[in-house]
Amino acid sequence: DGGITQSPKYLFRKEGQNVTLSCEQNLNHDAMYWYRQDPGQGLRLIYYSQIVNDFQKGDIAEGYSVSREKKESFPLTVTSAQKNPTAFYLCASRLNYGYTFGSGTRLTVV
Amino acid sequence: QKEVEQNSGPLSVPEGAIASLNCTYSDRGSQSFFWYRQYSGKSPELIMSIYSNGDKEDGRFTAQLNKASQYVSLLIRDSQPSDSATYLCAVQGPYNQGGKLIFGQGTELSVKP
């Protein structure tokens, strides 16, 4: 079955450490997105990509980086510059009006 | 003004009642609107999408869109305890900005047995 796989499901980061969240899709979708969700909040856009080797900043890109070397993969790196990274991270892809979400990664700073 | 705004909630209704969830948006050019349901710790799941003015019904769910008033709503008839979740309103942004979904802050619904 086609879908989006996010890993890991839970991730713990130490202060000053960079961590990378994986997002892989086998839907052949061109557009992919990373969202962040804080408790009691909606989803806020971090980065998006509409085509391989191209990506754009969303509303809250500071402290994050992405790459899009393959159509299937859109990893998100949370850098040490992100001072409050504890949140639920969701990856999504789109074909026309149809959006598919991954199951999310919960990142906690320890 | 936020791009997409929802009632802050929480909204509590008795089992069997109608739950009404509301959403307003700021971009008059918006064309595509979505309602997602999200259980705690899970990813959002699509309940309804609506693109034209008027009502769209799917089972117990009815989405209503009024582009002139920049307003979209979701009605849940015969509410069940399993409907207890956070409901997210989302508006699709322009394709030249990636076609991103712009979300409201969500409304928490609690259905009491």
Side-chain angles (χ1 to χ4, degrees), chain B residues 55-67:
Chain B
D55 295 357
K56 180 180 178 183
E57 186 175 319
D58 184 1
R60 296 186 296 113
F61 299 94
T62 299
Q64 299 174 316
L65 175 61
N66 184 327
K67 290 185 179 179

PDB file of all heavy atoms in Angstrom, chain B residues 55-67:
ATOM      1  N   ASP B  55     -23.657  23.274   0.719  1.00  0.00           N
ATOM      2  CA  ASP B  55     -23.484  22.166   1.639  1.00  0.00           C
ATOM      3  C   ASP B  55     -22.959  20.939   0.911  1.00  0.00           C
ATOM      4  O   ASP B  55     -23.287  20.689  -0.240  1.00  0.00           O
ATOM      5  CB  ASP B  55     -24.817  21.797   2.299  1.00  0.00           C
ATOM      6  CG  ASP B  55     -25.366  22.902   3.178  1.00  0.00           C
ATOM      7  OD1 ASP B  55     -24.678  23.946   3.321  1.00  0.00           O
ATOM      8  OD2 ASP B  55     -26.464  22.738   3.725  1.00  0.00           O
ATOM      9  N   LYS B  56     -22.172  20.154   1.642  1.00  0.00           N
ATOM     10  CA  LYS B  56     -21.713  18.853   1.157  1.00  0.00           C
ATOM     11  C   LYS B  56     -21.880  17.864   2.290  1.00  0.00           C
ATOM     12  O   LYS B  56     -21.367  18.082   3.382  1.00  0.00           O
ATOM     13  CB  LYS B  56     -20.253  18.920   0.714  1.00  0.00           C
ATOM     14  CG  LYS B  56     -19.706  17.598   0.204  1.00  0.00           C
ATOM     15  CD  LYS B  56     -18.243  17.743  -0.207  1.00  0.00           C
ATOM     16  CE  LYS B  56     -17.675  16.415  -0.669  1.00  0.00           C
ATOM     17  NZ  LYS B  56     -16.224  16.533  -1.017  1.00  0.00           N
ATOM     18  N   GLU B  57     -22.617  16.793   2.029  1.00  0.00           N
ATOM     19  CA  GLU B  57     -22.938  15.836   3.068  1.00  0.00           C
ATOM     20  C   GLU B  57     -22.231  14.516   2.817  1.00  0.00           C
ATOM     21  O   GLU B  57     -22.134  14.043   1.686  1.00  0.00           O
ATOM     22  CB  GLU B  57     -24.457  15.613   3.118  1.00  0.00           C
ATOM     23  CG  GLU B  57     -24.935  14.743   4.251  1.00  0.00           C
ATOM     24  CD  GLU B  57     -26.460  14.655   4.306  1.00  0.00           C
ATOM     25  OE1 GLU B  57     -27.121  15.689   4.106  1.00  0.00           O
ATOM     26  OE2 GLU B  57     -26.972  13.550   4.532  1.00  0.00           O
ATOM     27  N   ASP B  58     -21.761  13.896   3.896  1.00  0.00           N
ATOM     28  CA  ASP B  58     -21.152  12.569   3.834  1.00  0.00           C
ATOM     29  C   ASP B  58     -21.467  11.863   5.140  1.00  0.00           C
ATOM     30  O   ASP B  58     -20.828  12.108   6.154  1.00  0.00           O
ATOM     31  CB  ASP B  58     -19.647  12.668   3.619  1.00  0.00           C
ATOM     32  CG  ASP B  58     -18.992  11.307   3.444  1.00  0.00           C
ATOM     33  OD1 ASP B  58     -19.707  10.278   3.468  1.00  0.00           O
ATOM     34  OD2 ASP B  58     -17.755  11.261   3.285  1.00  0.00           O
ATOM     35  N   GLY B  59     -22.513  11.021   5.086  1.00  0.00           N
ATOM     36  CA  GLY B  59     -22.910  10.322   6.305  1.00  0.00           C
ATOM     37  C   GLY B  59     -23.404  11.294   7.357  1.00  0.00           C
ATOM     38  O   GLY B  59     -24.294  12.109   7.101  1.00  0.00           O
ATOM     39  N   ARG B  60     -22.829  11.230   8.533  1.00  0.00           N
ATOM     40  CA  ARG B  60     -23.248  12.126   9.628  1.00  0.00           C
ATOM     41  C   ARG B  60     -22.609  13.510   9.540  1.00  0.00           C
ATOM     42  O   ARG B  60     -22.904  14.376  10.363  1.00  0.00           O
ATOM     43  CB  ARG B  60     -22.883  11.489  10.972  1.00  0.00           C
ATOM     44  CG  ARG B  60     -23.612  10.185  11.265  1.00  0.00           C
ATOM     45  CD  ARG B  60     -23.315   9.688  12.665  1.00  0.00           C
ATOM     46  NE  ARG B  60     -21.912   9.339  12.866  1.00  0.00           N
ATOM     47  CZ  ARG B  60     -21.081   9.997  13.677  1.00  0.00           C
ATOM     48  NH1 ARG B  60     -21.504  11.061  14.342  1.00  0.00           N
ATOM     49  NH2 ARG B  60     -19.829   9.596  13.814  1.00  0.00           N
ATOM     50  N   PHE B  61     -21.741  13.717   8.586  1.00  0.00           N
ATOM     51  CA  PHE B  61     -20.995  14.964   8.477  1.00  0.00           C
ATOM     52  C   PHE B  61     -21.532  15.830   7.342  1.00  0.00           C
ATOM     53  O   PHE B  61     -21.819  15.328   6.257  1.00  0.00           O
ATOM     54  CB  PHE B  61     -19.511  14.682   8.233  1.00  0.00           C
ATOM     55  CG  PHE B  61     -18.838  13.901   9.321  1.00  0.00           C
ATOM     56  CD1 PHE B  61     -18.737  12.512   9.242  1.00  0.00           C
ATOM     57  CD2 PHE B  61     -18.319  14.532  10.434  1.00  0.00           C
ATOM     58  CE1 PHE B  61     -18.117  11.789  10.246  1.00  0.00           C
ATOM     59  CE2 PHE B  61     -17.699  13.817  11.444  1.00  0.00           C
ATOM     60  CZ  PHE B  61     -17.597  12.441  11.349  1.00  0.00           C
ATOM     61  N   THR B  62     -21.652  17.128   7.607  1.00  0.00           N
ATOM     62  CA  THR B  62     -22.012  18.102   6.578  1.00  0.00           C
ATOM     63  C   THR B  62     -21.062  19.284   6.663  1.00  0.00           C
ATOM     64  O   THR B  62     -20.923  19.891   7.723  1.00  0.00           O
ATOM     65  CB  THR B  62     -23.447  18.604   6.747  1.00  0.00           C
ATOM     66  OG1 THR B  62     -24.350  17.505   6.631  1.00  0.00           O
ATOM     67  CG2 THR B  62     -23.789  19.652   5.681  1.00  0.00           C
ATOM     68  N   ALA B  63     -20.408  19.585   5.552  1.00  0.00           N
ATOM     69  CA  ALA B  63     -19.572  20.775   5.469  1.00  0.00           C
ATOM     70  C   ALA B  63     -20.366  21.863   4.760  1.00  0.00           C
ATOM     71  O   ALA B  63     -21.103  21.585   3.816  1.00  0.00           O
ATOM     72  CB  ALA B  63     -18.275  20.482   4.723  1.00  0.00           C
ATOM     73  N   GLN B  64     -20.209  23.079   5.230  1.00  0.00           N
ATOM     74  CA  GLN B  64     -20.897  24.219   4.628  1.00  0.00           C
ATOM     75  C   GLN B  64     -19.861  25.277   4.288  1.00  0.00           C
ATOM     76  O   GLN B  64     -19.008  25.593   5.120  1.00  0.00           O
ATOM     77  CB  GLN B  64     -21.928  24.781   5.609  1.00  0.00           C
ATOM     78  CG  GLN B  64     -23.014  23.794   6.003  1.00  0.00           C
ATOM     79  CD  GLN B  64     -23.925  24.339   7.085  1.00  0.00           C
ATOM     80  OE1 GLN B  64     -23.456  24.925   8.061  1.00  0.00           O
ATOM     81  NE2 GLN B  64     -25.222  24.133   6.928  1.00  0.00           N
ATOM     82  N   LEU B  65     -19.950  25.827   3.085  1.00  0.00           N
ATOM     83  CA  LEU B  65     -19.001  26.837   2.637  1.00  0.00           C
ATOM     84  C   LEU B  65     -19.745  28.076   2.160  1.00  0.00           C
ATOM     85  O   LEU B  65     -20.689  27.978   1.376  1.00  0.00           O
ATOM     86  CB  LEU B  65     -18.122  26.292   1.505  1.00  0.00           C
ATOM     87  CG  LEU B  65     -17.151  27.266   0.839  1.00  0.00           C
ATOM     88  CD1 LEU B  65     -16.144  27.817   1.843  1.00  0.00           C
ATOM     89  CD2 LEU B  65     -16.440  26.590  -0.329  1.00  0.00           C
ATOM     90  N   ASN B  66     -19.295  29.231   2.629  1.00  0.00           N
ATOM     91  CA  ASN B  66     -19.823  30.514   2.176  1.00  0.00           C
ATOM     92  C   ASN B  66     -18.632  31.403   1.858  1.00  0.00           C
ATOM     93  O   ASN B  66     -18.020  32.003   2.751  1.00  0.00           O
ATOM     94  CB  ASN B  66     -20.696  31.149   3.269  1.00  0.00           C
ATOM     95  CG  ASN B  66     -21.348  32.447   2.820  1.00  0.00           C
ATOM     96  OD1 ASN B  66     -20.769  33.194   2.043  1.00  0.00           O
ATOM     97  ND2 ASN B  66     -22.545  32.709   3.302  1.00  0.00           N
ATOM     98  N   LYS B  67     -18.275  31.460   0.581  1.00  0.00           N
ATOM     99  CA  LYS B  67     -17.083  32.206   0.176  1.00  0.00           C
ATOM    100  C   LYS B  67     -17.277  33.711   0.354  1.00  0.00           C
ATOM    101  O   LYS B  67     -16.322  34.425   0.638  1.00  0.00           O
ATOM    102  CB  LYS B  67     -16.713  31.872  -1.271  1.00  0.00           C
ATOM    103  CG  LYS B  67     -16.180  30.457  -1.441  1.00  0.00           C
ATOM    104  CD  LYS B  67     -15.723  30.218  -2.872  1.00  0.00           C
ATOM    105  CE  LYS B  67     -15.173  28.805  -3.039  1.00  0.00           C
ATOM    106  NZ  LYS B  67     -14.747  28.536  -4.437  1.00  0.00           N
TER     107      LYS B  67
END
